[in-house]
Amino acid sequence: MKQFLPIAAGLLLALSANSQTVLNEVYSEPGSGKSEFIELYNSATGTENTDCFTILTYWSSGANHGWYVLDLPSSAISPKGWYVIASASPFNVQNKTNVAANTNWNDATFRSGATGGYLKKYQQGVSSFTDLALADGSAVTDLSVDGDFAGGGHNYLTLLFKNGAFINGFWGGGPTGTLPASIKSMPDLTITPAGTCTTPFTVVFGNIGAVEFVNQAPGSDNGYARTSDGKCGAWDKTAPGVSHTPGVTNGGAAGLTGSLTTTKRCSVIQDPQYLLLTTQ
């Protein structure tokens, strides 16, 4: 029987409530001739559609900063399966060539909105964000653009939402799972999805709790990957000896200690009123 238990604000939302699809890999600093990608993993036993998923990645360039918003098109993620969105298809990564992506965010059909998704770039102003209008179709090869909020150097911050609910976040190069004050103090960002999920939602950055992190900057021709598909809190920097596996398993988690996304969401949500803890 399903039970709903109110718990105090700021506590962990420990069990799955919205989705069992989470961030699984990010190739955030591609080397020459290689392509950035983001991979999702569906840990559930049922198929999940990406149409209602939205990915945000933080960017900065000099004094300017903001968010890229990837509203995903309709695509089925099979049970225990992967979904890869990249800056090209086919694309190359550390030790692989000719890798097919489920979606290429630079593809003209996707960028036109015809597939029910889009790529937008927002820049922060004094009290709001400005849509920088990427409708010209110019190629975007790097969604991270050296996040600068941790004392300089390479950082990568990506957030995953489903139907406007925060599902999962990852900070590559972050010293902690707590988002920096410069992110928490950002003005709200209202997003209107495309496809079948068209209800606008507002990202309140100050309400986002802890995210997963790896306290190593990606450097050059590197990124991050879970050590086992869907295993909460278990990430490695993908140095040359630990290569990326887009669309292929990172390894199973059977017999390992710690939580999987089938029982834990890998995220913390802070609600000003209360949280609902959902159990089966």
Side-chain angles (χ1 to χ4, degrees), residues 67-79:
W67 297 91
Y68 280 102
V69 175
L70 270 167
D71 185 59
L72 302 188
S74 178
S75 183
I77 312 180
S78 59

Side-chain angles (χ1 to χ4, degrees), residues 118-139:
Y118 60 73
L119 173 64
K120 293 186 177 182
K121 185 179 184 180
Y122 291 91
Q123 181 172 306
Q124 182 184 350
V126 175
S127 59
S128 63
F129 286 90
T130 299
D131 184 348
L132 296 185
L134 294 173
D136 60 1
S138 55

Side-chain angles (χ1 to χ4, degrees), residues 28-53:
S28 52
E29 296 293 338
S32 177
K34 299 172 185 176
S35 301
E36 184 177 3
F37 77 85
I38 300 171
E39 179 191 72
L40 305 180
Y41 174 71
N42 176 18
S43 68
T45 56
T47 299
E48 186 147 36
N49 193 292
T50 59
D51 184 56
C52 298
F53 284 90

Side-chain angles (χ1 to χ4, degrees), residues 27-158:
Y27 188 33
S28 52
E29 296 293 338
S32 177
K34 299 172 185 176
S35 301
E36 184 177 3
F37 77 85
I38 300 171
E39 179 191 72
L40 305 180
Y41 174 71
N42 176 18
S43 68
T45 56
T47 299
E48 186 147 36
N49 193 292
T50 59
D51 184 56
C52 298
F53 284 90
T54 306
I55 296 173
L56 274 66
T57 64
Y58 177 84
W59 66 268
S60 68
S61 179
N64 300 319
H65 51 269
W67 297 91
Y68 280 102
V69 175
L70 270 167
D71 185 59
L72 302 188
S74 178
S75 183
I77 312 180
S78 59
K80 311 299 182 184
W82 304 268
Y83 171 88
V84 177
I85 184 165
S87 60
S89 185
F91 65 96
N92 303 329
V93 292
Q94 283 173 322
N95 66 333
K96 296 178 175 63
T97 59
N98 257 351
V99 181
N102 297 88
T103 297
N104 165 14
W105 68 66
N106 284 313
D107 178 75
T109 303
F110 170 74
R111 293 284 289 273
S112 72
T115 61
Y118 60 73
L119 173 64
K120 293 186 177 182
K121 185 179 184 180
Y122 291 91
Q123 181 172 306
Q124 182 184 350
V126 175
S127 59
S128 63
F129 286 90
T130 299
D131 184 348
L132 296 185
L134 294 173
D136 60 1
S138 55
V140 177
T141 58
D142 189 353
L143 297 183
S144 56
V145 198
D146 284 3
D148 62 355
F149 41 77
H154 296 274
N155 281 265
Y156 187 91
L157 177 59
T158 183

Side-chain angles (χ1 to χ4, degrees), residues 241-254:
V242 187
S243 298
H244 277 292
T245 58
V248 181
T249 184
N250 297 4

Side-chain angles (χ1 to χ4, degrees), residues 184-196:
K184 302 279 276 186
S185 62
M186 279 183 154
D188 298 348
L189 175 59
T190 298
I191 295 169
T192 301
T196 59

Side-chain angles (χ1 to χ4, degrees), residues 218-240:
S220 176
D221 191 20
N222 289 293
Y224 307 93
R226 291 188 188 275
T227 55
S228 301
D229 292 324
K231 181 172 172 54
C232 290
W235 288 77
D236 267 343
K237 174 181 174 179
T238 55

